[in-house]
């Protein structure tokens, strides 16, 4: 059977070369009036009913064109139709460049400029793509006040972001967790610097280094299948069709710190005189001094005390048992460098090299005032009060902690987190007869290094009054104020130094072939096939040392201190931080020769190798003049080798453990696209996708902690999470550059992964381990996700006068989910859970105004609360609270090359908030304040004639 298939394929290829000898090809590029590439434009020879889409760089190829003169037409919403004549010679490939320009006639003098130009490109790309996709172009990115790519992506329908230090970091697509989605750079998977998971740090990449954001919500067989929620492809800027110089310089202020913001970028590119060689260099820097005000709490519904005989436990109403006040002082410097080159050997052969290097320094000092209730054996009758079944007075251990780093030119007495991501891709596009061949080989690396991270902790014990009357902002106050104010009461606890290094390296290669095959006699049709190899290595190497300096610094009163109390503390002026050891003092200490603390790193260190081999075949065919289909299958084989540590009592190394696993997934898919009219498109997709387990979950670690009667184990035998997906979408496009769309989607998910907590029933883990609590990642049974999406973008050109320059942008996504097979700490299955990290309601909206000179936009982003971490029971579940961000930006064009801008971010002062069990029980409320930026932009382009 296989021999017959190979013979058929060989016959098709041979006939394709035979036919090519009598026909020719057309190779070209579509650009706009500014020389920018026009992605996914519709290029057609109407007389032959033959055409193609330009790719993300505006390039297109039409093969097997009869000899003679032909009119090549490009259609694009919001732009005039462009038509160019080209002579096709037998056995040769003709080259053309087609320029399209915005139209104002159809819009009754409403000119397509600025944001609308970007919107036009995005909507045309979405309309012309064969699968369900959302696009954001470089012009749109620049019109929102987004400094990193994560903040730009959150504007797309069905997407929300998890926030870190006030910036969008982890992407959630259609309510599905970050590790369930794929993020690629120019089609190559971006490695993750996160140690515990596969999440890609979207705040690492500056928005102005990206040309296009492409979000595929229904992947095709030629795309990586590990995109259970969706695939986000970031396309970097490419060489222009002439000389281009672009630069930005700006500044601003963070309201929380009162400190400045600096940013700048430049882009320089050109092509050689013979148009064969193109190059583009760009760089970006953003220096941001900010911070955050943070309150964190843990809640309990059980109170223990010593009754004179033994420890007695009583059930109480929920109360705050742990309370932390945290002050963060942060400097974040984000740098990015890119160099892209391409060379056209001839009309049939070209190669490219795309490189990008992102480097972010986070310098952080953190000051923590922590209160934690004492163990029951240390609480006696008379030490506490319980009023209306709520503990209102009890003894706590109080810690004052300073986090910093060494005193040198890099760390500057702060904890320095050095994150880097680099990607180098070499690829080519070739035309051999009618056979299109493209290939790429890439190397990518992400790393996170935190060296000489230091902590100084001084502690005390005293009785506090617990006020939970406002459970969103609980507060502890010392029953005797002198206990909190007298620094000599805070005795030396520990001074530690930690080193962390996480690294992920990826080698990627793929090879694709595409042939024109018209199976139904409707004109265009192709068969595409190919393969990919992805070879990944992820490792983490941490160390931790403790120093005994108690004799030198017996109390907090014996070291230099600083007062962190802030009357404008964003969580409320009632939170008074008080005094902490100064970061300069901590950085000046000589901590050489500290004692290692294995329990802080033995479980954390691992090494994982993951090799993925993939092959696919797909047909893209027209079934009629209006209906087209993509039908295909992808096969992915995954091979894993994971190494971790077997440990006893957290600090006793037993042995290194290595385990292997492999699995193969067969993933068919079909996409239908029906062009009901020139303006209306209907889509249906059935796809199959997967999500591989997080690295830390598959590490074969075993840690038996006898002191706490707990066992922590990894699970190298985890299966990947798989999903069968159904999508239906209807889109109607307005001539005035807009869209109204609606769709539904359903995901049938199997083997989702969660952390199980159960109690051992025997001594399977060693003598005396019966009754121990075991924590282990397991596959759940199944889950389902059902969602609806609605989106509208529209210029209000039907309004009179200047009002026609207003535009609206809004989208809404509703997601409902359920999960089966999750057990509580008693071993009973829970039936009350949504799929973790699934936000039920997502809303984006903006109201904009744009004319030839002035533009303004008010943008809103809302995401609903969702379960983030499953606890042992419903009371312990952690939820990520709802978020509502409001941003405003304005711009003014001084001339066609020079413009100024101003942005105001986080007008609502939206905190990052988690709650425990129910909404009013705060686990974390971290505030970042507002940010104001302003600057100037210059853009010069000279297209070659």
């Amino acid at each position: 059977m296989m021999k017959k298939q190979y013979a058929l394929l060989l016959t098709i290829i041979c006939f394709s070369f035979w036919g090519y000898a009598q026909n020719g090809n057309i190779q070209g590029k579509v650009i706009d009036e500014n020389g920018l590439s026009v992605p996914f434009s519709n290029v057609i020879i109407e007389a032959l009913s033959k055409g193609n889409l330009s790719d993300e760089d505006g390039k297109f190829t039409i093969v097997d064109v009869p000899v003679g003169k032909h009119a090549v037409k490009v259609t694009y919403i919001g732009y005039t139709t462009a038509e160019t004549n080209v002579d096709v010679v037998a056995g040769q490939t003709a080259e053309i460049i087609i320029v399209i320009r915005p139209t104002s006639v159809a819009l009754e003098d409403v000119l397509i400029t600025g944001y609308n130009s970007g919107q036009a490109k995005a909507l045309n790309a979405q309309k012309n793509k064969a699968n369900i996709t959302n696009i954001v172009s470089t012009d749109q990115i620049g019109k929102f006040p987004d400094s990193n790519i994560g903040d730009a992506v959150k504007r797309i329908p069905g997407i929300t972001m998890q926030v870190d230090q006030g910036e969008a970091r982890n992407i959630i697509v259609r309510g599905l967790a970050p590790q369930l989605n794929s993020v690629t750079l120019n089609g190559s998977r971006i490695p993750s610097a996160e140690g515990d998971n596969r999440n890609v740090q979207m705040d690492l990449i500056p928005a102005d280094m990206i040309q296009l954001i492409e979000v595929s919500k229904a992947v095709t067989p030629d795309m990586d299948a590990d995109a259970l929620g969706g695939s986000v492809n970031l396309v970097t800027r490419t060489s222009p069709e002439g000389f281009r110089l672009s630069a930005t310089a700006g500044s601003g202020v963070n309201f929380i710190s009162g400190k400045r913001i600096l940013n700048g970028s430049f882009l320089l590119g050109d092509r050689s005189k013979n148009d064969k060689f193109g190059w583009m260099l760009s760089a970006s820097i953003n220096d941001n001094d900010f911070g955050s005000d943070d309150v964190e709490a843990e809640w309990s519904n059980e109170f223990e005390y010593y009754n004179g005989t033994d420890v007695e436990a009583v059930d109480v109403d929920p109360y705050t048992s742990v309370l932390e006040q945290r002050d963060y002082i942060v400097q974040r410097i984000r740098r990015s460098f890119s160099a892209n080159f391409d060379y056209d050997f001839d009309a049939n052969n070209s190669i490219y090299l795309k490189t990008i290097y992102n480097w972010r320094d986070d310098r952080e000092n953190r000051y923590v005032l922590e209160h934690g209730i004492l163990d029951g054996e240390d609480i006696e009758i008379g030490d506490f009060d319980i009023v209306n079944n709520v503990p209102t007075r009890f003894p706590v251990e109080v810690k004052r902690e300073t986090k910093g780093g060494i005193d040198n030119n890099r760390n500057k007495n702060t904890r320095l987190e050095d994150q880097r991501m680099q990607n180098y891709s070499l690829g080519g596009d070739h035309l051999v007869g009618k056979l299109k061949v493209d290939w790429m080989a890439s190397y990518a690396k992400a790393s996170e290094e935190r060296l000489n991270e230091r902590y100084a902790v001084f502690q005390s014990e005293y009785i506090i009054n617990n006020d939970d009357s406002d459970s969103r902002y609980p507060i502890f106050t010392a029953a005797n104020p002198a206990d909190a104010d007298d620094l000599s009461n805070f005795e030396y606890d520990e001074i530690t130094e930690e080193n962390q290094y996480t690294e992920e390296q990826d080698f990627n290669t793929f090879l694709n072939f595409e042939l024109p095959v018209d199976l139904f006699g409707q004109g265009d049709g192709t068969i595409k096939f190919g393969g990919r190899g992805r070879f990944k290595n992820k490792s983490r190497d941490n160390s931790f040392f403790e120093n005994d300096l108690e004799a030198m610094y017996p109390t907090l009163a014996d070291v230099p201190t600083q007062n962190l109390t802030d009357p404008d503390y964003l969580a409320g002026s009632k939170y008074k931080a008080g005094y902490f050891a100064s970061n300069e003092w901590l950085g000046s200490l000589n901590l050489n020769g500290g004692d290692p603390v294995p329990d802080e790193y033995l479980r954390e260190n691992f090494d994982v190798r993951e090799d993925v081999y993939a092959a696919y075949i797909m047909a893209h065919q027209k079934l009629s003049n209006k209906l087209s289909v993509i039908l295909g299958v992808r096969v992915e084989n995954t091979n894993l080798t994971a190494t971790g540590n077997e440990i006893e009592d957290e600090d006793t190394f037993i042995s290194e453990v290595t385990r292997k696993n492999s699995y193969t997934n067969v993933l068919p898919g079909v996409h239908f696209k029906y062009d009901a009219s020139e303006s209306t498109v209907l889509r249906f997709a059935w796809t199959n996708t997967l999500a591989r387990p997080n690295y830390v979950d598959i590490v074969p670690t075993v840690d038996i902690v006898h002191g706490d009667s707990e066992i922590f184990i990894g699970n190298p035998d985890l299966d990947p999470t798989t999903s069968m997906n159904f999508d239906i979408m209807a889109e109607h496009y307005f001539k005035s550059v807009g869209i109204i769309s609606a769709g539904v989607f359903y995901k049938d998910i199997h083997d989702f992964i969660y952390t199980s907590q159960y109690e051992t029933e025997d001594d399977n883990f060693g003598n005396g381990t019966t009754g121990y609590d075991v924590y282990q990642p397991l596959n759940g049974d199944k889950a389902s996700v059902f969602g609806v999406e609605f989106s509208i973008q529209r210029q209000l050109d039907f309004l009179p006068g200047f009002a026609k320059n207003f535009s609206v942008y809004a989208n809404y996504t509703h997601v409902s989910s359920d999960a089966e097979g999750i057990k509580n700490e008693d071993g009973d299955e829970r039936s009350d859970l949504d799929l973790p990290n699934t936000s039920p309601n997502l809303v984006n909206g903006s109201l904009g105004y744009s004319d030839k000179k002035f533009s303004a936009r008010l943008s809103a982003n809302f995401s609903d609360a969702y379960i983030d971490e499953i606890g042992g029971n419903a009371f312990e579940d952690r939820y990520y609270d709802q978020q509502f961000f409001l941003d405003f930006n304005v711009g003014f064009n001084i001339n066609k090359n020079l413009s100024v801008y101003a942005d105001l971010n986080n007008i609502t002062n939206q905190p990052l908030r988690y709650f425990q069990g129910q909404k009013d029980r705060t686990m974390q409320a971290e505030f970042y304040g507002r940010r104001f930026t302003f600057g100037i932009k210059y853009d010069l382009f000279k297209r070659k004639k």
Side-chain angles (χ1 to χ4, degrees):
M1 182 66 180
M2 290 296 293
K3 291 182 178 179
K4 291 182 179 179
Q5 292 175 340
Y6 285 128
L8 177 61
L9 182 59
L10 184 61
T11 300
I12 292 174
I13 294 175
C14 291
F15 270 102
S16 74
F17 290 119
W18 179 82
Y20 172 67
Q22 300 162 55
N23 293 328
N25 301 323
I26 299 174
Q27 190 99 270
K29 186 172 185 178
V30 183
I31 61 174
D32 65 12
E33 79 284 5
N34 295 315
L36 297 176
S37 60
V38 177
F40 308 115
S41 54
N42 188 30
V43 185
I44 189 169
I45 304 174
E46 289 186 335
L48 302 177
S49 297
K50 182 181 287 289
N52 206 342
L53 293 181
S54 63
D55 63 15
E56 61 268 15
D57 293 325
K59 296 180 179 180
F60 66 89
T61 303
I62 304 176
V63 300
D64 197 24
V65 181
V67 171
K69 180 175 288 188
H70 300 279
V72 181
K73 180 186 292 186
V74 175
T75 57
Y76 217 62
I77 299 173
Y79 285 73
T80 56
T81 297
E83 188 171 297
T84 300
N85 291 323
V86 60
D87 287 316
V88 176
V89 178
Q92 296 183 21
T93 300
E95 294 182 277
I96 57 173
I97 291 179
I98 303 177
V99 182
I100 61 174
R101 292 177 171 81
T103 178
S104 59
V105 177
L107 302 181
E108 300 178 358
D109 300 324
V110 179
L111 188 63
I112 301 295
T113 60
Y115 171 79
N116 293 326
S117 174
Q119 185 182 16
K121 291 180 180 180
L123 292 181
N124 276 281
Q126 180 174 325
K127 177 176 183 288
N128 294 330
K129 291 278 287 183
N131 62 324
I132 298 173
T133 307
N134 292 112
I135 306 287
V136 177
S137 76
T138 183
D139 301 334
Q140 281 180 297
I141 294 170
K143 290 301 175 180
F144 287 109
D146 304 324
S147 60
N148 74 66
I149 205 66
D151 284 313
V153 169
K154 73 183 183 185
R155 312 288 178 185
I156 296 174
I159 288 181
T160 187
M161 302 294 298
Q162 293 179 336
V163 173
D164 178 76
Q165 287 295 350
E167 292 190 331
R169 166 167 283 199
N170 297 319
I171 185 170
I172 295 176
V173 181
R174 286 180 161 178
L176 295 178
Q179 64 268 23
L180 303 181
N181 305 303
S182 167
V183 182
T184 60
L185 187 71
N186 301 317
S188 178
R189 186 70 181 259
I190 298 178
S192 169
E194 295 280 354
D196 294 338
N197 51 57
R198 296 175 182 266
N199 301 353
V200 174
Q201 299 85 350
M202 302 292 281
D203 57 351
L204 184 60
I205 305 171
D208 50 14
M209 299 297 286
I210 299 301
Q211 171 178 298
L212 193 75
I213 305 171
E214 182 182 2
V215 179
S216 297
K217 296 176 178 176
V219 299
T220 52
D222 58 342
M223 300 171 64
D224 285 339
D226 54 346
L228 197 144
S231 174
V232 180
N233 185 36
L234 309 177
V235 181
T236 56
R237 296 177 182 271
T238 55
S239 59
E241 289 303 308
F243 176 79
R244 186 179 185 197
L245 172 63
S246 179
T248 300
S251 187
V253 63
N254 284 294
F255 287 72
I256 191 171
S257 64
K259 295 184 178 180
R260 61 47 178 169
I261 302 169
L262 297 174
N263 66 79
S265 66
F266 83 89
L267 180 148
L268 183 65
D270 202 354
R271 296 201 72 82
S272 62
K273 290 184 179 180
N274 62 5
D275 279 338
K276 286 184 174 296
F277 177 66
W279 58 274
M280 188 280 300
L281 304 175
S282 62
S284 172
I285 186 169
N286 181 274
D287 187 347
N288 192 2
D289 270 296
F290 62 107
S292 60
D293 296 343
D294 181 25
V295 174
E296 301 189 14
E298 294 180 17
W299 296 77
S300 178
N301 55 8
E302 186 177 83
F303 186 85
E304 294 183 343
Y305 67 95
Y306 183 66
N307 61 16
T309 304
D310 52 25
V311 175
E312 182 174 341
V314 294
D315 292 331
V316 295
D317 290 340
Y319 71 100
T320 309
S321 58
V322 176
L323 182 67
E324 296 182 5
Q325 180 182 342
R326 300 184 172 203
D327 291 76
Y328 290 85
I329 300 172
V330 181
Q331 181 191 28
R332 174 169 291 176
I333 302 177
R334 183 188 295 112
R335 316 166 188 86
S336 188
F337 312 93
S338 180
N340 294 336
F341 309 93
D342 62 82
Y343 187 80
D344 297 332
F345 293 98
D346 52 40
N348 295 329
N349 298 280
S350 63
I351 61 171
Y352 61 84
L353 174 66
K354 294 185 176 184
T355 70
I356 190 169
Y357 190 98
N358 297 295
W359 175 16
R360 191 187 73 188
D361 284 340
D362 258 18
R363 294 187 175 94
E364 177 187 294
N365 288 119
R366 187 187 73 187
Y367 304 90
V368 181
L369 174 60
E370 177 185 345
H371 306 77
I373 190 170
L374 297 184
D375 292 336
E377 60 190 20
D378 298 319
I379 302 176
E380 299 180 353
I381 296 175
D383 289 343
F384 63 93
D385 292 327
I386 297 179
V387 179
N388 296 325
N389 208 40
V390 176
T392 58
R393 188 179 69 93
F394 47 82
V396 294
E397 180 181 69
V398 185
K399 294 183 178 181
R400 292 185 176 274
E401 176 190 86
T402 299
K403 178 169 77 171
I406 61 176
D407 182 13
N408 63 16
N409 291 332
R410 285 281 290 145
N411 294 67
K412 300 180 180 180
N413 296 312
T414 68
R415 183 276 287 147
L416 174 62
E417 181 182 87
D418 181 331
Q419 277 197 349
R420 308 192 187 200
M421 191 281 290
Q422 50 192 302
N423 183 285
Y424 309 94
S425 299
L426 177 67
D429 296 282
H430 309 277
L431 194 56
V432 184
K434 292 186 286 186
L435 178 68
K436 288 197 286 186
V437 182
D438 67 277
W439 60 272
M440 187 192 71
S442 71
Y443 168 76
K445 178 182 176 181
S447 64
E448 178 181 287
E449 185 176 54
R450 294 163 63 160
L451 299 180
N452 305 111
E453 181 175 331
R454 294 182 168 186
Y455 295 84
V457 181
F458 293 83
Q459 69 175 17
S460 181
E461 290 184 9
Y462 51 78
I463 294 176
I464 57 92
N465 294 319
N466 171 37
D467 183 1
D468 288 338
S469 57
D470 182 0
S471 57
R472 281 180 171 263
Y473 298 99
I475 184 71
F476 287 177
T477 54
N480 179 4
D483 290 335
D485 298 336
D486 188 351
L487 299 187
S488 63
N489 287 339
F490 287 84
E491 299 175 344
Y492 179 94
D493 182 31
E494 64 179 9
I495 293 179
T496 61
E497 184 170 86
E498 182 176 6
N499 299 294
Q500 300 181 28
Y501 184 72
T502 302
E503 177 183 280
E504 180 176 322
Q505 296 189 73
D506 281 16
F507 293 90
N508 276 270
T509 181
F510 67 69
L511 179 63
N512 298 315
F513 302 91
E514 187 174 23
L515 278 168
V517 177
D518 182 8
L519 299 177
F520 299 95
Q522 295 295 324
D524 292 324
T526 63
I527 289 180
K528 187 177 181 181
F529 54 95
R532 177 188 285 267
R534 192 173 76 212
F535 312 101
K536 183 191 301 287
N537 184 262
K538 181 94 171 190
S539 62
R540 183 163 59 187
D541 185 12
N542 295 353
S543 62
F544 193 98
F545 301 91
E546 188 173 10
N547 296 265
D548 185 3
L549 303 180
E550 184 174 6
M552 298 174 61
Y553 309 106
T555 73
L556 187 56
D558 298 305
V559 304
T561 58
Q562 57 192 113
N563 186 2
L564 271 294
T565 298
D566 181 1
D568 298 320
Y569 196 72
L570 294 181
S573 59
K574 65 182 180 180
Y575 295 101
K576 303 183 188 304
Y579 287 86
F580 295 83
S582 74
N583 64 312
E584 291 87 357
W585 166 78
L586 180 59
S588 68
L589 297 176
N590 182 356
L591 299 185
N592 293 328
D595 296 322
V597 186
D599 63 312
E600 293 287 348
Y601 60 84
L602 279 179
R603 194 193 305 164
E604 302 297 318
N605 295 342
F606 64 83
D607 187 274
V608 175
R609 179 170 180 82
E610 180 181 88
D611 295 338
V612 178
Y613 301 89
Y616 75 91
I617 185 169
M618 59 181 260
H620 187 186
Q621 298 289 316
K622 277 190 174 182
L623 302 180
S624 71
N625 189 43
K626 293 180 178 291
L627 180 64
S628 62
V629 63
I630 292 178
L631 176 67
V633 63
R634 185 179 185 89
V635 179
E636 293 197 354
N637 172 255
T638 305
N639 297 275
L640 291 164
T641 302
T643 300
N645 296 323
E646 183 178 353
I647 313 159
E648 189 168 342
D649 283 331
E650 298 185 283
D651 59 3
T652 302
F653 175 77
I654 304 299
S655 65
E656 195 175 80
V657 183
T658 299
R659 295 287 185 271
K660 294 185 178 182
N661 190 17
S662 65
Y663 46 85
T664 300
N665 298 92
V666 180
L667 306 154
V670 62
H671 301 252
F672 288 98
K673 180 185 176 187
Y674 181 74
D675 296 314
S677 69
E678 288 187 2
S679 302
T680 303
V681 179
L682 305 178
R683 303 177 190 269
F684 169 81
W686 169 67
T687 58
N688 289 270
T689 51
L690 62 89
R692 295 179 176 88
N694 285 328
Y695 305 105
V696 71
D697 291 337
I698 59 177
V699 175
T701 298
V702 179
D703 189 2
I704 302 173
V705 187
H706 293 290
D708 297 330
S709 299
E710 293 178 333
I711 301 172
F712 299 87
I713 53 178
N715 190 351
D717 296 322
L718 281 172
D719 292 322
T721 301
T722 59
S723 177
M724 181 182 294
N725 316 295
F726 299 88
D727 293 84
I728 299 174
M729 182 70 70
E731 305 160 353
H732 179 76
Y733 295 84
F734 301 112
K735 291 183 178 179
S736 56
V737 187
I739 182 178
I740 183 169
S741 65
V744 297
F745 58 89
Y746 176 79
K747 296 180 180 295
D748 183 19
I749 299 171
H750 291 263
D751 296 321
F752 66 90
I753 297 167
Y754 73 104
T755 300
S756 170
Q757 178 181 345
Y758 64 92
E759 190 173 286
T760 60
E761 298 179 351
D762 51 37
D763 284 353
N764 188 49
F765 291 95
N767 292 332
T769 57
T770 300
Y772 279 27
D773 289 326
V774 179
Y775 299 86
Q776 183 183 29
L778 294 176
N779 286 111
D781 291 341
K782 60 181 181 178
S784 63
V785 175
F786 174 80
V788 296
E789 288 182 341
F790 173 80
S791 178
I792 183 169
Q793 300 179 48
R794 179 69 197 263
Q795 185 158 353
L796 306 182
D797 58 296
F798 52 84
L799 296 178
F802 76 94
K804 68 176 64 176
N805 293 314
F806 280 96
S807 63
V808 293
Y809 173 96
N811 57 72
Y812 169 70
T813 303
H814 173 73
V815 177
S816 63
S817 67
D818 64 79
E820 299 178 11
I822 298 177
K823 297 180 180 180
N824 63 17
E825 58 191 356
D826 298 322
D828 301 323
E829 184 169 336
R830 295 184 59 180
S831 59
D832 57 342
L833 287 175
D834 294 334
L835 188 67
N837 292 294
T838 307
S839 179
N841 295 291
L842 308 171
V843 182
N844 280 299
S846 71
L847 176 64
Y849 177 88
S850 181
D851 59 29
K852 294 181 180 180
K853 289 286 187 180
F854 177 77
S855 64
R857 184 162 297 275
L858 182 67
S859 307
N861 177 271
F862 171 83
S863 60
D864 213 342
Y866 56 86
I867 187 167
D868 173 73
E869 187 176 286
I870 299 171
N873 52 58
F875 177 77
E876 297 175 356
D877 291 340
R878 186 177 76 171
Y879 288 80
Y880 193 104
D881 201 6
Q882 66 183 37
Q883 299 179 119
F884 177 68
F885 293 98
L886 193 64
D887 306 313
F888 179 71
N889 68 303
V890 295
F892 183 77
N893 298 322
I894 299 173
N895 55 46
K896 71 174 185 176
N897 302 118
L898 192 63
S899 63
V900 293
Y901 69 90
D903 303 329
L904 181 62
N905 292 79
N906 196 20
I907 297 172
T908 55
N909 189 27
Q910 174 64 52
L912 166 66
R913 184 173 184 270
Y914 291 89
F915 59 87
Q916 182 178 322
Q918 63 184 47
K919 198 174 188 66
D920 61 346
R921 290 199 288 265
T922 292
M923 291 190 75
Q924 181 177 6
E926 185 171 23
F927 291 84
Y928 311 104
R930 299 173 183 87
R931 182 176 72 242
F932 175 71
T933 56
F934 58 90
I936 187 168
K937 296 182 178 182
Y938 179 78
D939 199 353
L940 174 67
F941 175 74
K942 292 182 179 180
R943 181 170 170 259
K944 293 185 181 297
K945 296 182 180 179

